Amino acid sequence: MITEGNISDIRIAKDKLNIKPGSIYVFDRAYTDLELWSNIDFSKSYFVTKLKNNLKYTVLGQHLEAMKDGILSDEKIKLENKKYEKNLRMIRFLDEKSDEVVSIVTNNFKLSAKTIVQIYKTRWQIEIFFRWIKQNLQIKTFLGTSKNAVMSQVWIAMIYYLLLTYIKYQSKYEKSLFYLHRIIKEALLSRLTLIDLLSATPARISDFKIKEFQLVFW
């Protein structure tokens, strides 16, 4: 859902989210709202989110699972807040990339701690997706300033990213998505098929570009 910048994300989530029973909703701690948590729980659904530092709680006991697979603790807790009175499950794990201890909470007591952590980590792919677009597709510079112009460029960038990902997946391309983006960018006006491009070396692409440039402009 797309709104004006002054509209709170959490307000849209509470008012517009169509909660489906049995689903698992994963969100960042910026969406911490006990009313939203209660609505999800009331709808017989589950949530997984990062624990906010200012939320006070009491540890009721250890969950019935041995610590393994990087899980530091798996505990049953109760918030010191009347807006959400049910018990929650708090899982702490070590993020190897950032070397940070991450605490997540969920109302799901059935899945393993490892599965809950994997579900939360999957949410990070959204941030990676937008970070990649901003860093590599130069979306900070817009060709127009109207709402339609800006949205068109955003959608084009996202479609381009998805096409790259699809090409990499279908062709089992071994190099990174960024490298694939660079070779397509460098050889955009060259007479190369996609299959030739995927197997081309950097020297081959540079040589071909020079020849095309000479042919067109000399």
Side-chain angles (χ1 to χ4, degrees):
M1 297 183 181
I2 301 173
T3 65
E4 300 296 331
N6 61 349
I7 304 296
S8 170
D9 290 356
I10 190 64
R11 172 52 53 192
I12 297 300
K14 290 169 65 175
D15 294 346
K16 303 295 184 181
L17 182 63
N18 181 22
I19 302 173
K20 298 181 180 179
S23 300
I24 300 177
Y25 294 91
V26 191
F27 40 86
D28 193 21
R29 61 184 171 188
Y31 287 82
T32 296
D33 186 280
L34 301 186
E35 184 181 340
L36 175 62
W37 293 10
S38 296
N39 291 341
I40 294 174
D41 189 87
F42 181 77
S43 301
K44 297 181 180 181
S45 298
Y46 305 101
F47 59 84
V48 178
T49 185
K50 194 172 183 180
L51 182 66
K52 229 175 182 180
N53 296 331
N54 61 355
L55 273 182
K56 296 182 179 180
Y57 59 88
T58 301
V59 177
L60 302 179
Q62 186 72 23
H63 193 62
L64 302 177
E65 185 175 340
M67 297 302 99
K68 56 183 180 179
D69 299 317
I71 307 298
L72 302 179
S73 65
D74 185 1
E75 299 168 320
K76 183 187 295 185
I77 67 171
K78 186 176 182 63
L79 297 180
E80 298 178 8
N81 193 309
K82 296 297 183 181
K83 292 183 178 180
Y84 192 95
E85 298 184 323
K86 287 190 174 183
N87 294 339
L88 288 169
R89 183 180 179 187
M90 181 176 70
I91 302 170
R92 284 193 177 97
F93 68 94
L94 179 65
D95 178 26
E96 297 177 352
K97 292 184 178 180
S98 64
D99 199 30
E100 174 192 4
V101 175
V102 180
S103 300
I104 55 178
V105 290
T106 179
N107 62 333
N108 189 307
F109 288 85
K110 299 178 181 179
L111 297 175
S112 70
K114 181 181 178 180
T115 301
I116 296 293
V117 169
Q118 289 175 334
I119 289 172
Y120 181 75
K121 284 184 175 181
T122 302
R123 192 202 66 81
W124 292 345
Q125 298 302 315
I126 299 173
E127 294 183 6
I128 294 172
F129 167 68
F130 283 105
R131 187 184 304 121
W132 193 96
I133 287 179
K134 287 190 290 186
Q135 290 177 346
N136 299 305
L137 300 187
Q138 299 177 6
I139 202 169
K140 293 180 180 179
T141 303
F142 292 98
L143 302 178
T145 56
S146 68
K147 182 178 179 179
N148 183 64
V150 172
M151 292 306 302
S152 295
Q153 191 166 339
V154 171
W155 280 114
I156 290 170
M158 294 175 69
I159 291 169
Y160 173 73
Y161 176 92
L162 294 174
L163 286 173
L164 281 185
T165 306
Y166 184 73
I167 291 169
K168 178 176 168 60
Y169 171 75
Q170 287 287 7
S171 63
K172 296 180 173 58
Y173 189 67
E174 296 180 353
K175 296 183 180 179
S176 69
L177 202 62
F178 175 71
Y179 188 82
L180 179 59
H181 158 64
R182 287 298 299 272
I183 64 171
I184 291 179
K185 179 181 178 182
E186 294 298 322
L188 191 60
L189 300 179
S190 301
R191 296 191 184 99
L192 284 172
T193 66
L194 185 58
I195 300 301
D196 291 335
L197 197 59
L198 292 174
S199 58
T201 63
R204 166 63 176 154
I205 294 172
S206 298
D207 180 62
F208 203 91
K209 279 190 67 181
I210 292 172
K211 290 181 180 178
E212 285 290 310
F213 183 83
Q214 292 172 339
L215 179 64
V216 175
F217 294 101
W218 282 19

